[in-house]
Each structure stands twice: as structure tokens, then as C-alpha cells.
Amino acid sequence: MPLSERVELIFQDVVKRNPGEVEFHQAVKEVLESVAPVLVKYPEFAEAKIIERICEPERQTIFRVPWVDDNGQVQINRGFRIQFNSALGPYKGGLRFHPSVYLGIIKFLGFEQIFKNSLTGLPIGGAKGGSDFDPKGKSNGEVMRFCQSFMTELYRIIGEHTDVPAGDIGVGGREIGYLFGQYRKLTRRFDGALTGKSLNWGGSNLRPEATGYGAVYFANDMLSTRGESVQGKTAAVSGSGNVAQYTVEKLNTLGARVVTLSDSNGTIVDMDGISGEKLAWVMELKNVRRGRISEYANHFKGAQYLAGKRPWSVPCDLAFPSATQNEIEEDDARQLVQNGCYCVSEGANMPSHADAVEVFLDAKILYGPGKAANAGGVAVSGLEMNQNAGCMRRSREDVDAQLRTIMHSIHENCVKYGRENGFVNYVKGANIAGFVKVADAMVQQGYV
Ligand code: NDP
């Protein structure tokens, strides 16, 4: 049977075994399409059933999370931890708290994480977890009680050498603090079982900044293949959370002009640029007051609020989707390209729908998929684990230099495996480079 047919059958089996998990199917399909052509070179992968095994998580844990709200009412949420692949090291991947979370979302994120973590060159396996809990509109006390209940179950399966969670959507410094406090109380251990910790108690310099900074470094590396940089360019950024904020900060430092931010209700457009001073206001709005991005347009005259809209109709040279999965659909991608956007660096995970990815690849623009472009976050988390194990802390400059080196080496690997007739297909490059390393490790470690 031809190889492409065999891979298609494996994919159909994944769909059958994981019904209704559309985001997981989307993530698997993309990777299988990229790696199928190279499998001819590696008969040992087929013999060891690497594709079939890599699509099946090593372990999936689903648990009840009961907690009491401020009115004394009992609330029930569902918790997940998908330990997808540990061939390269302890499981590593964030926790997402968002009402849209279900098994298919956590599985797509965990699957992507395997290849992303492999690309960083660090010894970390892939995992993801989370809950359908919505931190929005909850008091600090409610968030704390939820986190404590969540950790009361999760602590049984994590640890500095087994599985090391971090943040993601809805899980920032506040949530990591509450989670770590409960972990420490339950285990009587102060160790590196979580990353994204505060700098005062075991965190790494530059962890909050790492994903956003890394996405900008990756864009700069992609632009350098055309003798350009982000300097002087106009950028559209989506989201207004952790990744978006530090993407804007780094773009400002490197001389670009950022004209948009958004949240799930709408987009603000500020053609004067979201300067450092305006960004500081946004950080206070989102991280302290936990307000909505629409308030920006009331505060800064000249800015416009587009209710219910995404940023992709705003003309720009560079786009940094930094909110959530499938936030760029086919029409958005066409509009971006028509308006002159020629570099997309994904801070978010799988923000471009498969049809949108096709548009970018057909137009031969510089398109950096999330598993490569946003790997800076997990890379610095890996460095945090390393610092915790050695009871030491690296300086901000040192971590930044390592982050740049890692992003640069991911870029080089994408170019190595993704070059096609003078064009770099970063999707193919990232998937093949990430996959081959994990597959080799799985072959060497036997059928486990
Ligand atoms: P945050 O919770 O800090 O911010 C998320 C932002 O995205 C908010 O502005 C939020 O708006 C918006 N958003 C969330 N869901 C939706 C939705 N369904 N539609 C539109 N907007 C939405 O999360 P992060 O910044 O940490 O994460 C952003 C993305 O980056 C995610 O895809 C995450 O997986 C990815 N990522 C994060 C890393 C990290 O280190 N934090 C590492 C690698 C990837 P609202 O307030 O309205 O919900």
C-alpha cells in the first residue's frame, strides 16, 4: 500500500478513536501531512509503529474539581491532564482555564507540545492540562479555592522529574501561586514541579516575557532571510493577555509600530501605535483590574474600538496572532495577504485554521507556525526547571541570550527541513524537525 494511503488510514483511525475532538484531528492531520513524505527514508519508524503510537497519549487523567463560590454554593468543574509523550524527558506543558476547555482542546495542545518541546532542544516531553473553569469575573478567593481543589487531585501525577505544568490561557502568576502553595502543602516539598513561578520564590527571570519576546525573535529571523527586520514595520497583534503584552513590548523596543490588540469581545485600533506608556496602562487594565480591552478606546482618544471584530482587517506588514486557536479563518488570511501582510508569527497555539494556513503557504509569505514561533515560553520554563534543580538563578541578560539562541536554532532547523525551491515552508520544517527527534528516541527506547 502506498505510504500516503497508510498514513491516511492511520489518520482515519485517530478520528474514529477520538470522536468529536475536532481540534485534535486538525493538529494530527497537519503533522501527518508534513511527515508522511519523509517516512520513506525511515523504515524503522513504520516497523516500530511510531505514527500510531505518537497519536495515542501515554496517559489521560480526567477528574472532578468541586469548590465553593462566594455565595456558599458548591460548584463542579472538570480537570484534565494529558501526559502525551515522555520520550525526550519529563512531561511539560501548560494548564488552561477557560470555559471552552474539553478533552479535544487539551489533546490538541498536548500533541502540539510534543513537537514544540522537541524543537527547543531541551530534554522535555509533551503534556497539557486544564479545566473548563472560567476565572473571568471570579473573586481572588474563588480562584484560590478552585486552584486548591484542582491541585488536590493533580499533585498525585506531577513532580519535578515526572510532569511539570505551567500557565496558559487563564493561568497566570496569580493562579500558579495558588497552585504551587497547595502543591507544597500536600507534598511537603519545595521543588520545580511547576514553572512560571514568581521571581521571589523559584521563578526564572524573563519567564513572563518569554513567549512574546520569542515570537518577535522568530519573526526577525524569518525576516532576515529577506534581508529585513521588524524595525519600521506595522504590526497587528491579537489578544491582550500575557503573550500579546510582551509581543508588543518587544516590537516597540525593536522599532516596530503596533496598531491593534483585542480580547474575546472585540479589537482596538490605534494607528498612532501602542507605545510603552499605553502598554503599561493595558497591563494594569488586564493584569490588575482585569478589565476589557474596549476601555482602551475610551481612555486613549484617537483609538477606535471594533466590537465583535478581530484585528485581521487592519492593514499591516506583520501579524502576531496571540489569543487562541482558529482565530484566523480563511477569509481573514486572504484579507491579511491582500492588505500587504507578509510575515505571520504565531504567539498562540494553532491560531490559523487549516484553510488559512493554505492561503499563507500559497502566497509564499513568511509564516511561522505556533509550535516553532511560540516555543520561547516553554524554553524558558525548561531553563526554570534547570535553575530549580541547581538551586540557582540566571540573570535576565543570560536568560535572554539563551532564549535568542534557542529561537535562532529552531529557525535554522525549520529552514533545514522546510526548504522547497527557494521558499521555506516553516510548517513542514517545524513538523519534520520536531518529529524525527521524538521518533528516534521512541525507536531507541523500545515498545513502551
Ligand atoms: P491569557 O489568558 O493571558 O490571554 C489570552 C488572551 O486571548 C486574552 O486577551 C483573551 O481575551 C483572548 N482570548 C482567549 N480566548 C479567546 C477566544 N475564544 N476568542 C478571542 N480571544 C480570546 O493567555 P496567554 O496570553 O498566556 O495565551 C495566549 C495564547 O498563547 C494561547 O493560545 C496559548 O495557548 C498560547 N501560548 C501561551 C504561552 C504562555 O507562555 N503563556 C506559551 C505558548 C503559547 P478574554 O480576556 O476576552 O478571554
Side-chain angles (χ1 to χ4, degrees):
M1 187 190 299
L3 190 65
S4 56
E5 232 173 89
R6 273 207 330 257
V7 172
E8 177 58 26
L9 284 180
I10 297 173
F11 175 66
Q12 290 310 330
D13 197 44
V14 168
V15 172
K16 209 164 104 204
R17 287 161 67 85
N18 303 276
E21 297 173 7
V22 287
E23 297 83 2
F24 178 50
H25 305 162
Q26 183 182 338
V28 170
K29 192 168 204 287
E30 188 206 276
V31 171
L32 296 196
E33 279 174 359
S34 293
V35 301
V38 297
L39 288 175
V40 203
K41 265 177 51 194
Y42 302 95
E44 68 274 26
F45 291 171
E47 196 187 317
K49 291 235 160 58
I50 294 298
I51 301 275
E52 290 89 332
R53 279 200 281 146
I54 218 164
C55 294
E56 185 69 24
E58 288 175 10
R59 194 170 300 102
Q60 310 188 48
T61 308
I62 302 181
F63 49 98
R64 182 173 66 198
V65 190
W67 56 284
V68 178
D69 70 18
D70 286 347
N71 299 320
Q73 299 295 310
V74 179
Q75 301 288 339
I76 316 286
N77 286 98
R78 185 171 284 181
F80 301 88
R81 186 69 181 167
I82 308 299
Q83 297 174 323
F84 226 116
N85 194 298
S86 58
L88 293 182
Y91 304 108
K92 180 93 198 86
L95 299 171
R96 176 177 291 191
F97 293 168
H98 192 271
S100 64
V101 163
Y102 78 108
L103 191 56
I105 295 266
I106 301 298
K107 267 159 81 175
F108 115 66
L109 289 164
F111 185 73
E112 292 268 300
Q113 198 82 43
I114 304 170
F115 309 104
K116 182 190 307 191
N117 293 2
S118 162
L119 283 169
T120 65
L122 299 171
I124 40 181
K128 201 82 186 188
S131 173
D132 56 0
F133 173 75
D134 187 358
K136 247 185 253 141
K138 304 286 190 302
S139 68
N140 284 341
E142 288 176 320
V143 171
M144 181 179 72
R145 290 193 293 281
F146 172 80
C147 288
Q148 290 175 341
S149 180
F150 184 86
M151 182 53 80
T152 299
E153 199 57 46
L154 188 74
Y155 89 98
R156 301 172 201 283
I157 56 167
I158 64 170
E160 57 182 326
H161 299 300
T162 46
D163 185 355
V164 184
D168 190 79
I169 292 178
V171 179
R174 173 183 62 171
E175 290 75 17
I176 292 290
Y178 294 148
L179 290 164
F180 187 76
Q182 185 73 352
Y183 171 81
R184 191 167 58 75
K185 182 179 167 86
L186 291 168
T187 59
R188 296 186 294 146
R189 288 176 63 90
F190 194 113
D191 60 28
L194 286 168
T195 59
K197 301 186 289 299
S198 166
L199 206 52
N200 290 337
W201 41 271
S204 171
N205 269 307
L206 224 78
R207 176 59 190 90
E209 293 88 342
T211 309
Y213 280 19
V216 178
Y217 294 152
F218 196 81
N220 242 347
D221 278 338
M222 290 197 290
L223 288 161
S224 73
T225 63
R226 298 186 182 183
E228 296 184 31
S229 76
V230 301
Q231 189 180 12
K233 305 290 188 306
T234 300
V237 176
S238 67
S240 46
N242 171 268
V243 178
Q245 292 169 13
Y246 288 104
T247 297
V248 176
E249 185 171 281
K250 186 49 78 177
L251 283 167
N252 282 342
T253 311
L254 297 181
R257 179 176 57 122
V258 181
V259 293
T260 65
L261 278 173
S262 69
D263 61 21
S264 48
N265 297 111
T267 293
I268 59 103
V269 184
D270 185 345
M271 294 313 283
D272 294 334
I274 301 167
S275 61
E277 200 182 312
K278 292 171 180 174
L279 178 63
W281 186 89
V282 170
M283 286 182 170
E284 205 266 334
L285 170 77
K286 300 304 283 190
N287 310 346
V288 181
R289 285 195 283 132
R290 300 187 188 271
R292 308 305 298 160
I293 201 64
S294 58
E295 295 173 44
Y296 184 103
N298 301 330
H299 192 79
F300 296 107
K301 299 301 161 210
Q304 215 191 337
Y305 179 60
L306 310 175
K309 293 267 192 299
R310 296 164 179 164
W312 314 127
S313 60
V314 178
C316 60
D317 306 305
L318 322 172
F320 291 85
S322 312
T324 193
Q325 66 278 353
N326 291 329
E327 56 169 309
I328 301 184
E329 293 180 66
E330 186 178 353
D331 287 348
D332 300 316
R334 285 196 195 291
Q335 196 157 17
L336 277 166
V337 173
Q338 267 163 20
N339 285 341
C341 174
Y342 64 101
C343 175
V344 178
S345 188
E346 295 185 340
N349 283 308
M350 207 169 74
S352 304
H353 195 275
D355 298 334
V357 175
E358 280 305 308
V359 172
F360 294 146
L361 294 179
D362 285 348
K364 294 202 169 0
I365 66 163
L366 300 167
Y367 168 63
K371 62 170 77 69
N374 72 34
V378 73
V380 172
S381 271
L383 301 179
E384 182 174 331
M385 287 164 71
N386 188 283
Q387 293 169 78
N388 291 161
C391 295
M392 45 84 83
R393 178 186 299 160
R394 295 205 163 93
S395 71
R396 201 177 154 84
E397 294 68 33
D398 186 5
V399 177
D400 196 30
Q402 292 203 40
L403 173 62
R404 280 172 200 261
T405 306
I406 292 171
M407 295 313 295
H408 191 62
S409 119
I410 294 174
H411 181 265
E412 302 251 285
N413 258 318
C414 289
V415 172
K416 178 175 162 196
Y417 288 96
R419 206 187 286 283
E420 304 175 325
N421 307 321
F423 164 69
V424 180
N425 180 336
Y426 288 89
V427 178
K428 184 174 140 192
N431 284 332
I432 297 176
F435 170 81
V436 169
K437 202 170 139 205
V438 182
D440 269 339
M442 289 173 73
V443 168
Q444 287 157 16
Q445 292 174 26
Y447 308 145
V448 291

